[in-house]
Amino acid sequence: MKARQQLAVQALTLNYRSEAIGRSHILHADAFEWLSSIPENSLHAIVTDPPYGVKEYNLDQIEKRANGNGGIWRIPPSFDGHTRAPLPRFTALNPKERKQLDEFFTEWAKAATHALRPGAHVFIASNSFLSQLVFSALVKGGLEFRGELIRLVRTLRGGDRPKNAETEYPDVCSMPRGCYEPWGILRKPLPVGMKVSDCLQQFETGGLRRVGPHKPFDDVILSGRTPQRERRIADHPSLKPQAFLRQIVYAALPLGTGIIADPFMGSGSTIAASEAVGLTSIGAERYLDYYEVSRKAISRLAALAVEPMEDLQASLLDLA
Ligand SMILES: C[S@@+](CC[C@H](N)C(=O)[O-])C[C@H]1O[C@@H](n2cnc3c(N)ncnc32)[C@H](O)[C@@H]1O
């Protein structure tokens, strides 16, 4: 069974530059092209954190971030003497860019629907400002909306006084301070009339894995910002914490078997989380520098002993 799964995941690397890390594989590929090229019904789940501002990971914007001269990246206000890493400025998207975002996620959902098995789940990171646009585009592309997972985390977004009128309106903030990150939970529709139990039997998909016999998977997870020790291993502006991701990948495969994909893997934190909990995954990254980061980071992140709320504790210490 395991050997068959290993052959199956290896076959999904096609002719891309790739390598095996533990039981998983990574490839240097464009997510759209790769998802559309693999055989239909190949994947049991997707867990991903996409470039939801669409343009923040274009080469010109990555260069601007590296040079510290703006573009869509802004430096959040520093406090307690700590300078914060740049964050993409999603509120700066104009109507044309919002339309591009809609098209991006509709097309991406079409490619994902092709690659996923019926009943396969998608967990996709978003933010409270854009989630409504992203989730409806995903539904347009063929996925079924199943709800939201709330990652409780202080994101440093919002909460600021009106720009250039801070002293005039000291008691006003233009947007709420971000205290959660919404993750869309979607699914490739089950064949018409099929029950979840039949889907589990035929495709090994359709449901979510329970945390334990007396505990279903909950849709709110207490979390925090990614701990420094993980940031030191994987230098990526959107690195997600292992403590959080390990819970998601575990839930994504209802029977604990199958292949999880992260088509926007960045530095490979989803792949590392899958490795850490003994699951098979495959990640694609378009930008060669991040692919190289992931090659070195995945096994080190996977080897970390992580308590379920370690990221939360680390971020509380950070704020103390
Ligand atoms: C939000 S980041 C994900 C970071 C990841 N969560 C981590 O912990 O490292 C999105 C990643 O998708 C990559 N990307 C953007 N467009 C892509 C595409 N069309 N195909 C594959 N990767 C892409 C970006 O270079 C970036 O590394």
Side-chain angles (χ1 to χ4, degrees):
M1 175 78 169
K2 268 192 186 150
R4 197 148 33 98
Q5 195 162 290
Q6 287 313 299
L7 286 175
V9 70
Q10 194 179 348
L12 298 180
T13 59
L14 307 179
N15 289 325
Y16 292 101
R17 175 177 170 188
S18 68
E19 67 193 82
I21 300 180
R23 65 187 82 210
S24 301
H25 283 74
I26 55 169
L27 49 143
H28 177 220
D30 175 80
F32 291 80
E33 191 187 285
W34 174 65
L35 287 169
S36 312
S37 308
I38 60 177
E40 213 182 343
N41 301 346
S42 297
L43 304 172
H44 296 68
I46 288 179
V47 176
T48 198
D49 169 25
Y52 35 95
V54 178
K55 66 181 185 182
E56 78 273 24
Y57 286 103
N58 287 351
L59 274 181
D60 62 325
Q61 297 292 332
I62 291 179
E63 274 165 19
K64 283 184 179 165
R65 178 182 187 272
N67 300 335
N69 66 353
I72 198 173
W73 295 90
R74 71 171 180 97
I75 308 283
S78 61
F79 63 94
D80 291 350
H82 295 285
T83 305
R84 300 284 153 187
L87 288 171
R89 196 169 5 166
F90 299 114
T91 47
L93 296 182
N94 62 32
K96 185 166 156 244
E97 287 161 348
R98 290 175 73 84
K99 186 163 174 284
Q100 275 173 354
L101 188 76
D102 178 73
E103 286 164 5
F104 179 92
F105 282 102
T106 305
E107 289 311 306
W108 182 80
K110 286 181 191 165
T113 304
H114 159 84
L116 289 165
R117 293 180 166 213
H121 276 85
V122 176
F123 285 88
I124 184 163
S126 186
N127 67 61
S128 56
F129 188 71
L130 292 176
S131 58
Q132 139 271 356
L133 184 62
V134 171
F135 299 160
S136 62
L138 294 173
V139 170
K140 250 195 279 175
L143 293 167
E144 175 194 7
F145 185 68
R146 300 283 293 167
E148 273 178 69
L149 169 72
I150 301 300
R151 174 183 167 215
L152 284 179
V153 55
R154 291 178 75 84
T155 62
L156 299 182
R157 286 185 213 289
D160 301 326
R161 296 189 173 86
K163 203 171 166 186
N164 300 332
E166 291 84 353
T167 45
E168 206 177 336
Y169 297 104
D171 300 327
V172 177
C173 52
S174 45
M175 281 179 78
R177 170 77 178 269
C179 294
Y180 73 97
E181 180 178 83
W183 282 61
I185 306 177
L186 298 106
R187 194 170 69 169
K188 175 166 171 177
L190 274 56
V192 179
M194 185 180 262
K195 295 190 300 227
V196 169
S197 54
D198 295 331
C199 193
L200 285 165
Q201 191 178 28
Q202 190 172 334
F203 297 110
E204 304 171 308
T205 58
L208 298 169
R209 198 170 183 188
R210 297 175 73 93
V211 176
H214 305 295
K215 189 162 170 25
F217 175 70
D218 287 346
D219 60 10
V220 177
I221 294 184
L222 275 177
S223 183
R225 293 198 301 282
T226 307
Q228 281 301 330
R229 69 171 181 153
E230 293 175 32
R231 293 195 173 281
R232 279 194 290 271
I233 293 173
D235 182 16
H236 191 291
S238 310
L239 184 69
K240 298 288 177 196
Q242 286 297 297
F244 172 74
L245 282 178
R246 290 181 189 182
Q247 298 178 62
I248 309 303
V249 293
Y250 185 86
L253 294 183
L255 303 181
T257 56
I259 300 170
I260 301 174
D262 183 349
F264 300 110
M265 76 164 170
S267 55
S269 53
T270 308
I271 311 305
S274 311
E275 283 292 310
V277 299
L279 299 172
T280 300
S281 61
I282 182 162
E285 168 61 44
R286 178 181 70 169
Y287 188 48
L288 188 56
D289 286 11
Y290 291 146
Y291 174 82
E292 293 293 349
V293 171
S294 77
R295 288 179 60 213
K296 301 197 181 84
I298 290 172
S299 45
R300 293 182 63 201
L301 289 173
L304 292 175
V306 170
E307 295 299 323
M309 298 223 289
E310 181 171 330
D311 54 340
L312 179 62
Q313 285 148 6
S315 97
L316 289 175
L317 282 175
D318 220 16
L319 291 173

